[in-house]
Amino acid sequence: MPRVNYEAPTSVDDAVKILAGASGLAKVMSGGTDLLVQLRSGRVKPDLIVDTKRIPGLIGIREEGDFFVVGAATPGVMLSGNEKLDHAWPGIVEGADLIGSTQIQGRASLAGNLCNASPAADSVPAVIAARAAVVVAGPNGTREVPAESIPTGPGRTSLAKGEFIVAFKIPKPKPHQCDAYLRFIPRTEMDIAVVGCGTNVTLDASGTCIDARVVLGAVAPTIVVVEDAAKALIGHKLDDATLAALDAAAQKACKPISDKRGTIEYRTKVAGVLARRTAAIAFERAAAR
Amino acid sequence: MSKHHVTTTINGEPTEYLCEGQQTMLDVLRDELGLTGSKEGCSSGDCGACTIIVDGDIVCSCLMLGVEAEGRKITTIEGVAEGDKLHPVQQKFLEHAALQCGFCTPGFIVAAKALLDQNPNPTEEEARYWLAGNLCRCTGYDKILRAVMDAAEVMRAEARR
Ligand SMILES: Cc1cc2nc3c(=O)[nH]c(=O)nc-3n(C[C@H](O)[C@H](O)[C@H](O)COP(=O)(O)OP(=O)(O)OC[C@H]3O[C@@H](n4cnc5c(N)ncnc54)[C@H](O)[C@@H]3O)c2cc1C
Ligand code: FES
Ligand code: FES
C-alpha cells in the first residue's frame, strides 16, 4: 500500500491548520470504517489522514440547553449506550445502531456516515428528520448548517478544503414529538439498505399531526427530504386516507436505480411501505409521551 | 517520511513499536509484533477474524491504524487465556468442537469474551446478534453458539462461587 502520513491533532484549530495547509489529498478520519476500506481498495489515495478522535469533545454526548451535542466521531456503541438520547430519539439511535456489526459499532460515527455520503447511510435519515444541524469548523471559523446540506452526491460533500464536522446539534423533542427509522434489507444483519426511511412527527394533544419530516434513503443519489410526505401527515390523524396519501408521496419522491439489491419498481414500492410503517411507529411513540 | 513511535498496552504488557501511517493494527500485530493469532480474512471489516478489544470495545483491527493504539489498552486472542489456563470460552470451543479449520476462531473467541464481560447472561438471540460480524465458512455457527452459551453458564457459576 502507498505510504500515508498520519496526524492526530488535539485541538480544532490545529486540525483546521493541518487540513488547510495540506499539499496533497488530506482525508479526515473518525472511525475509519469507510475510509480504511477505501484506502485498502485504492478507491481513495490520501497523502494524509487527519484523525479527529484526540480532539476534546469529538467523542461524547452532552446536553446544551435545548440540544443534544454529539461529538462528530462518537462511535455507535456510545450512542446506543446513552439512555437520554435513546429515550429522546429512538429513531436516530435505531439508525445508527443498524450500521454494521458490534465491531463496526465500536468505531462507526455519525460524521463518517454523513460525510461518506452514501445515499444508503443508515443514521442519516432520522438525523435529518430531527432537523439536526452540524457544526463545521474551517479556516474562516465555525458555521452551523443543516445536516442535509452536507452530502451533495454519492461520495461528495459540500465541505470546503480545511473544513470538517466537529459536532451534531440535535434539538430535543417537543411535547408529543418522536421518531422512527426502518430499513429494508434482504437479511437480518450486515447488509446495505435497499430503502431506508426516517420519520419524525409532532402531534397535538388530540393526536393530530402538527409537524412532520419524512426522509428517504437509497432511493436517489442523495438522501431525500420528502416535503409532500410531510404535507400528507400535517393536519391529520393517522387514518387510512392519510397513510395512502403518505405512501403515494413517498413513492413519487423516488428516483432510484436498479441494482443487485432491488429494481426501481421494488425500491419505489418499499419506500411507500416504510414511510407508512415508520409513521405508524413515530405516531405511537409521540402519542405515548 | 518518518515512522511513528507508538507506546501502548497489549495484553497487559507495556509495548512500543514503530509503524507507518497506513499500517493497520492488524499489520502491526502480525508483522511487527509477531502476534499472529488475529487473522486476516477480508481486510474490509466483514469477517471479524481480526477482532481485538480496544479500551473495552471490540473492533476490527483491519479497520484501525497501528498509530491509533497510542495510549490505549488492547486485548488480542493471545491475551485471553491466563497463562496455561484456558478462558471458559476457549475451553467450551474445544469441548463442543466449535471449530473446523479454525481460521475464524480467534475472532469469535475475542468477540464472545467481550460479550460475556459485558453481559454475563445473554439470550441466544443477543449472542447471535453480537456475533453477526464474525463469519465462519465451516461450522454452520450452531456449535459456536452452543459453546458460547455454555461458557456463559460456566462463568456465571464461577462468579457465584
Ligand atoms: C462491515 C461493514 C458494514 C457496514 N454496514 C453499514 C450499514 O449497515 N449501514 C451504513 O450506513 N453504513 C455501513 N457501513 C459503512 C460505515 O461503517 C458507516 O458509513 C460509518 O458510519 C462511517 O463512520 P466512520 O466514523 O467509520 O467514518 P470514516 O471512515 O472515518 O469516514 C468516512 C468518510 O467521512 C469523512 N469524515 C469522517 N469524519 C469526518 C468529519 N468529522 N468531518 C468531515 N468529514 C469526515 C472521511 O474523510 C471519509 O470520507 C459499514 C461498513 C463496514 C466496514
Ligand atoms: S480481516 Fe478484519 S474483518 Fe475481516
Ligand atoms: S472453522 Fe473454518 S471458518 Fe470457522
Side-chain angles (χ1 to χ4, degrees), chain A residues 6 9 12 15 28-33 50-62 69-79 96 99 103-115 123 134-135 164-169, chain B residues 57 59 68 72:
Chain A
Y6 170 90
V12 171
V28 177
M29 180 168 85
S30 293
T33 60
V50 180
D51 184 355
T52 61
K53 293 193 292 296
R54 307 260 174 190
I55 303 172
L58 265 278
I59 292 181
I61 301 164
R62 57 185 192 278
V69 179
V70 179
T74 306
V77 65
M78 284 179 73
L79 299 174
I99 298 172
Q103 286 89 332
I104 300 299
Q105 283 289 309
R107 304 263 296 172
S109 68
L110 292 184
N113 205 216
L114 182 68
C115 296
S123 72
V134 291
V135 182
F164 74 105
I165 296 178
V166 176
F168 284 70
K169 275 183 83 174
Chain B
D57 292 320
V59 307
E68 291 186 64
R72 307 272 179 235

Side-chain angles (χ1 to χ4, degrees), chain A residues 1-7 29-34 36-37 39-40 47 49 51 53-54 75 77-78 101-107 188-190, chain B residues 1 3-4 20-22 24 27 40 43-46 48 51 57-60 62-65 67-70 72 111 129-134:
Chain A
M1 227 187 328
R3 286 188 154 206
V4 183
N5 270 319
Y6 170 90
E7 298 263 11
M29 180 168 85
S30 293
T33 60
D34 281 315
L36 297 183
V37 173
L39 176 73
R40 188 83 182 192
D47 303 285
I49 289 175
D51 184 355
K53 293 193 292 296
R54 307 260 174 190
V77 65
M78 284 179 73
S101 56
T102 320
Q103 286 89 332
I104 300 299
Q105 283 289 309
R107 304 263 296 172
T188 50
E189 262 290 276
M190 297 294 285
Chain B
M1 196 176 305
K3 289 198 174 186
H4 298 268
E20 293 177 358
Q22 77 285 355
T24 64
D27 294 340
E40 176 170 17
S43 261
S44 54
D46 292 295
T51 301
D57 292 320
I58 55 171
V59 307
C60 298
C62 71
L63 294 187
M64 169 181 171
L65 296 173
V67 284
E68 291 186 64
E70 177 68 38
R72 307 272 179 235
Y129 270 103
W130 182 274
L131 295 171
N134 291 84

Side-chain angles (χ1 to χ4, degrees), chain A residues 86 89-96 122 126 178-181 285:
Chain A
D86 188 33
W89 295 126
I92 290 181
V93 174
E94 279 158 359
D122 279 308
C178 206
D179 68 342
Y181 177 76
R285 286 175 176 166

Side-chain angles (χ1 to χ4, degrees), chain A residues 209-259:
Chain A
C209 181
I210 52 172
D211 190 19
R213 255 190 151 195
V214 179
V215 184
L216 286 170
V219 297
T222 58
I223 290 205
V224 192
V225 181
V226 190
E227 307 281 355
D228 285 344
K231 279 188 199 143
L233 293 174
I234 294 168
H236 298 277
K237 292 197 160 79
L238 203 63
D239 53 24
D240 287 346
T242 307
L243 283 168
L246 170 68
D247 187 322
Q251 293 204 35
K252 216 166 148 230
C254 295
K255 294 181 188 63
I257 52 166
S258 288
D259 68 7

